[in-house]
Amino acid sequence: MGKRVAIIGAGVSGLATIRSCLEEGLEPTCFEKSEDIGGLWKFSDHAEEGRASIYQSVFTNSSKEMMCFPDFPYPDHFPNFMHNNKIQEYITVFAKEKNLLKYIQFKTLVSSVNKRPDFSVTGQWDVTTERDGKKESTVFDAVLICSGHHVYPNLPKESFPGLKLFKGKCFHSREYKEPGIFKGKRVLVIGLGNSGCDIATELSRTAKQVIISSRSGSWVISRVWDDGYPWDMVLVNRFETFLKNNLPKAISDWWYKKKMNAKFKHENYGLMPLNGTLRKEPVFNDELPACILCGTVSIKPNVKEFTETSAIFEDGTVFEAIDCVIFATGYGYAYPFFDESIIKSRNNEITLFKDIFPPSLEKPTLGIIGLVQSLGAAIPTVDLQARWAVKVVKGTCTLPSITDMMNDIDKKMRERLKWFGTSNTMLTDYINYMDELASFIGAKPNIPWLFLTDPKLAVEVFFGPCSPYQFRLVGPGKWPGARNAILTQWDRTLKPMKTRAVGTPLKPCLLCRWVRLLALPILVVAIFLAWIQ
């Protein structure tokens, strides 16, 4: 085996990193605080300190064809959007199939990660772990942190005057598990993200009254998109990204808002974002619009202040006799086991090259996998991050100079502020980011060459879903089954819904949608040309 690599966390990021280390001939040791793999997807009926926590009813927001490991599709019969126990089942099978479990030390806490005295020469780290009350320190050639970003709750109590006077229950959404105990209660949910909307709609069936308070609004879209296909199989494609990158921003913004308002007008439902052109992550909730229509959930602006029993909103309205306030206000980033100045080298903000490597380290032997939030599925993202990061650690890929890395970070930050605003500077465009990482390791598909050599595949790759298999078509880690997986992805999408045979299942016509879209402007131009002649 080659260099010794410490991997912190055995969720999907950790498993992807173990596998990548093995593919590159490195020696991985993964430390997992809990007793099982899965990370975020491993459900527990109580919130555990120091690890991610989900509620019982969590389903995926990405469909199965878009969120698999690129050489390991889900079983055909799995539903397109899966309950958390299905994801855990898949992760477990993947870990066993790839023989990853023997590299994981469970019930082991990483308490500190420190540079060795000769770090500037060796790039090595002292990693101290705790298990059964005993501490152990080991030298590693590299450390890859895969502990996720849903661990440390953001609970901004200081932003709400009077909250200390409030006599009802008050807690973060990570502590929410199921709706039964809220029967007959009056509940205020603060935050219009995915967790807040999921919890509010679920509580609406048992609670007496549910109100969501939102500071800035959100786009709320359905998992069910055009003609009933999964949203990401329709929207996350290379052609759409090409248009976004090349159209004038005014036209791109208009087209984006039109898509987000396709099912209902957000203004009418009190959901409209303050800046509707920002590409912040939308909320995926199929029930919320119906709940608002039926009056079981109401949307209110930000809370101005709390009293002992009520909340006063910025519009002057009051929610009286509140039993419980649930803060669905997201998470912060924390790495208590090492000096965070390493990754917060400027203005106390996380500064990472390609969202993985701290640019100021003398040796590129520390990386963070899974911190970035791409507007796509997490599993293929962390898989590609791990593949590149491990090659950097091994030395087969090199990083640019510190100056070049900082210039790239500045450029990317300007782009993020333009597209996503200031609320979350770790957001990034999925396809652009994936192509960038893939190009570093020679795994980016060559679209023009595909159109010349394999037109059938090229149409699927460019106009169809940008599914993970695309990043195992060529280069290191090439998977012989990638081409067939791409050409049969719609079969696996339709398979679990064919429980009652009614006619022939219809796959989408990838080009028809764009032909219809372009038909109107072409017709207008033709009429104009005919008129001027």
Short mmCIF file of all heavy atoms in Angstrom, two decimals, residues 6 81 103 115 132 140 143 145 149 190 195 225 235 237 260 275 277 291 324 379 410 481 484 501:
data_model
loop_
_atom_site.label_atom_id
_atom_site.label_comp_id
_atom_site.label_asym_id
_atom_site.label_seq_id
_atom_site.Cartn_x
_atom_site.Cartn_y
_atom_site.Cartn_z
N ALA A 6 -5.88 9.34 6.60
CA ALA A 6 -6.93 9.34 7.61
C ALA A 6 -8.19 9.96 7.01
O ALA A 6 -8.13 11.03 6.41
CB ALA A 6 -6.50 10.11 8.84
N PHE A 81 -37.85 8.66 -5.86
CA PHE A 81 -37.47 9.44 -4.69
C PHE A 81 -37.62 8.53 -3.48
O PHE A 81 -38.70 7.99 -3.23
CB PHE A 81 -38.34 10.70 -4.56
CG PHE A 81 -38.11 11.67 -5.68
CD1 PHE A 81 -38.97 11.73 -6.76
CD2 PHE A 81 -37.02 12.53 -5.67
CE1 PHE A 81 -38.76 12.62 -7.81
CE2 PHE A 81 -36.80 13.42 -6.70
CZ PHE A 81 -37.66 13.47 -7.77
N TYR A 103 -12.03 -1.11 6.51
CA TYR A 103 -11.14 0.04 6.66
C TYR A 103 -11.71 1.09 7.63
O TYR A 103 -11.13 2.17 7.78
CB TYR A 103 -10.88 0.70 5.30
CG TYR A 103 -10.23 -0.24 4.31
CD1 TYR A 103 -11.00 -0.92 3.36
CD2 TYR A 103 -8.86 -0.47 4.34
CE1 TYR A 103 -10.41 -1.80 2.46
CE2 TYR A 103 -8.26 -1.34 3.45
CZ TYR A 103 -9.04 -2.00 2.51
OH TYR A 103 -8.45 -2.88 1.62
N LYS A 115 -0.49 19.39 12.65
CA LYS A 115 0.67 19.23 11.78
C LYS A 115 1.83 18.61 12.56
O LYS A 115 2.05 18.95 13.72
CB LYS A 115 1.13 20.60 11.24
CG LYS A 115 0.17 21.29 10.29
CD LYS A 115 0.76 22.63 9.88
CE LYS A 115 -0.13 23.39 8.93
NZ LYS A 115 0.45 24.72 8.58
N ASP A 132 -13.40 3.99 23.68
CA ASP A 132 -13.56 3.34 24.99
C ASP A 132 -12.71 4.04 26.06
O ASP A 132 -12.11 3.38 26.94
CB ASP A 132 -13.18 1.86 24.92
CG ASP A 132 -14.06 1.08 23.96
OD1 ASP A 132 -15.24 1.44 23.83
OD2 ASP A 132 -13.56 0.13 23.33
N PHE A 140 -0.23 10.18 9.95
CA PHE A 140 -0.79 9.94 8.62
C PHE A 140 -0.15 10.87 7.61
O PHE A 140 0.22 12.01 7.93
CB PHE A 140 -2.31 10.15 8.63
CG PHE A 140 -3.08 9.04 9.31
CD1 PHE A 140 -3.40 9.13 10.65
CD2 PHE A 140 -3.45 7.91 8.60
CE1 PHE A 140 -4.10 8.11 11.27
CE2 PHE A 140 -4.16 6.88 9.22
CZ PHE A 140 -4.48 6.98 10.56
N VAL A 143 -4.87 13.80 5.46
CA VAL A 143 -6.15 13.75 6.18
C VAL A 143 -7.24 14.29 5.25
O VAL A 143 -7.10 15.39 4.71
CB VAL A 143 -6.11 14.59 7.48
CG1 VAL A 143 -7.49 14.57 8.15
CG2 VAL A 143 -5.05 14.06 8.43
N ILE A 145 -11.26 15.13 5.35
CA ILE A 145 -12.36 15.32 6.30
C ILE A 145 -13.68 15.13 5.57
O ILE A 145 -13.98 15.82 4.60
CB ILE A 145 -12.28 16.72 6.94
CG1 ILE A 145 -10.95 16.88 7.68
CG2 ILE A 145 -13.45 16.95 7.89
CD1 ILE A 145 -10.65 18.31 8.09
N HIS A 149 -21.91 18.63 6.68
CA HIS A 149 -22.21 19.99 7.15
C HIS A 149 -23.63 20.08 7.69
O HIS A 149 -24.27 21.12 7.62
CB HIS A 149 -21.99 21.01 6.03
CG HIS A 149 -22.71 20.70 4.75
ND1 HIS A 149 -24.02 21.02 4.53
CD2 HIS A 149 -22.30 20.07 3.63
CE1 HIS A 149 -24.38 20.63 3.33
NE2 HIS A 149 -23.35 20.05 2.75
N ILE A 190 -39.76 28.49 11.99
CA ILE A 190 -38.98 29.60 11.45
C ILE A 190 -38.01 29.05 10.41
O ILE A 190 -37.12 28.26 10.74
CB ILE A 190 -38.24 30.34 12.57
CG1 ILE A 190 -39.26 31.00 13.52
CG2 ILE A 190 -37.28 31.39 12.00
CD1 ILE A 190 -38.65 31.79 14.64
N SER A 195 -36.21 21.54 5.23
CA SER A 195 -36.61 20.95 6.52
C SER A 195 -37.82 21.67 7.09
O SER A 195 -38.77 21.03 7.56
CB SER A 195 -35.45 21.03 7.52
OG SER A 195 -34.38 20.22 7.10
N TRP A 225 -42.19 16.81 -12.31
CA TRP A 225 -42.02 17.89 -13.26
C TRP A 225 -42.79 17.60 -14.55
O TRP A 225 -43.76 16.83 -14.55
CB TRP A 225 -40.53 18.12 -13.50
CG TRP A 225 -40.21 19.53 -13.91
CD1 TRP A 225 -39.82 19.96 -15.12
CD2 TRP A 225 -40.28 20.71 -13.08
NE1 TRP A 225 -39.63 21.33 -15.12
CE2 TRP A 225 -39.91 21.81 -13.88
CE3 TRP A 225 -40.62 20.93 -11.75
CZ2 TRP A 225 -39.86 23.12 -13.40
CZ3 TRP A 225 -40.58 22.23 -11.27
CH2 TRP A 225 -40.21 23.30 -12.07
N LEU A 235 -34.56 18.94 -15.60
CA LEU A 235 -33.93 20.25 -15.49
C LEU A 235 -32.41 20.23 -15.46
O LEU A 235 -31.77 21.19 -15.90
CB LEU A 235 -34.44 20.97 -14.24
CG LEU A 235 -35.91 21.42 -14.24
CD1 LEU A 235 -36.22 22.16 -12.95
CD2 LEU A 235 -36.21 22.30 -15.44
N ASN A 237 -29.50 19.32 -16.96
CA ASN A 237 -28.92 18.81 -18.19
C ASN A 237 -27.93 19.83 -18.76
O ASN A 237 -27.95 21.01 -18.42
CB ASN A 237 -30.01 18.47 -19.21
CG ASN A 237 -30.81 19.67 -19.64
OD1 ASN A 237 -30.33 20.51 -20.41
ND2 ASN A 237 -32.05 19.79 -19.16
N MET A 260 -39.63 28.41 -12.36
CA MET A 260 -39.96 28.29 -10.94
C MET A 260 -41.45 28.55 -10.68
O MET A 260 -42.04 28.02 -9.75
CB MET A 260 -39.12 29.27 -10.12
CG MET A 260 -37.63 28.97 -10.11
SD MET A 260 -37.19 27.38 -9.34
CE MET A 260 -36.91 26.36 -10.81
N ASN A 275 -35.37 38.24 -3.83
CA ASN A 275 -34.63 38.35 -5.10
C ASN A 275 -34.86 37.06 -5.86
O ASN A 275 -34.16 36.07 -5.67
CB ASN A 275 -33.14 38.59 -4.86
CG ASN A 275 -32.40 38.89 -6.15
OD1 ASN A 275 -32.86 38.57 -7.24
ND2 ASN A 275 -31.24 39.53 -6.03
N THR A 277 -34.29 36.18 -8.84
CA THR A 277 -33.37 35.75 -9.90
C THR A 277 -32.18 34.98 -9.36
O THR A 277 -31.44 34.36 -10.13
CB THR A 277 -32.85 36.96 -10.69
OG1 THR A 277 -32.11 37.82 -9.82
CG2 THR A 277 -34.01 37.73 -11.30
N CYS A 291 -51.39 22.73 1.09
CA CYS A 291 -51.64 23.07 2.50
C CYS A 291 -52.01 24.54 2.65
O CYS A 291 -52.88 24.90 3.46
CB CYS A 291 -50.41 22.76 3.35
SG CYS A 291 -50.09 21.01 3.62
N CYS A 324 -45.08 25.90 20.59
CA CYS A 324 -43.73 25.46 20.24
C CYS A 324 -43.18 26.27 19.07
O CYS A 324 -43.92 26.58 18.13
CB CYS A 324 -43.75 23.97 19.87
SG CYS A 324 -42.14 23.30 19.44
N ILE A 379 -24.16 12.54 -3.76
CA ILE A 379 -23.32 11.35 -3.91
C ILE A 379 -22.37 11.45 -5.10
O ILE A 379 -21.16 11.23 -4.95
CB ILE A 379 -24.18 10.07 -3.96
CG1 ILE A 379 -24.85 9.83 -2.61
CG2 ILE A 379 -23.35 8.86 -4.35
CD1 ILE A 379 -25.75 8.60 -2.55
N ASP A 410 -11.17 33.86 -5.73
CA ASP A 410 -11.81 35.17 -5.87
C ASP A 410 -12.76 35.21 -7.06
O ASP A 410 -13.88 35.75 -6.98
CB ASP A 410 -10.74 36.26 -6.04
CG ASP A 410 -9.95 36.50 -4.76
OD1 ASP A 410 -10.46 36.14 -3.69
OD2 ASP A 410 -8.83 37.04 -4.86
N GLY A 481 -19.81 -0.20 -17.97
CA GLY A 481 -21.28 -0.17 -18.05
C GLY A 481 -21.87 1.21 -18.15
O GLY A 481 -23.10 1.37 -18.18
N ASN A 484 -24.22 2.00 -21.34
CA ASN A 484 -25.52 1.32 -21.26
C ASN A 484 -26.37 1.91 -20.14
O ASN A 484 -27.60 2.03 -20.29
CB ASN A 484 -25.31 -0.17 -21.02
CG ASN A 484 -26.62 -0.93 -21.00
OD1 ASN A 484 -27.34 -0.99 -22.00
ND2 ASN A 484 -26.95 -1.51 -19.86
N ALA A 501 -50.31 -2.00 -15.56
CA ALA A 501 -50.03 -1.80 -16.98
C ALA A 501 -51.17 -1.07 -17.66
O ALA A 501 -52.30 -1.55 -17.72
CB ALA A 501 -49.79 -3.14 -17.67
#
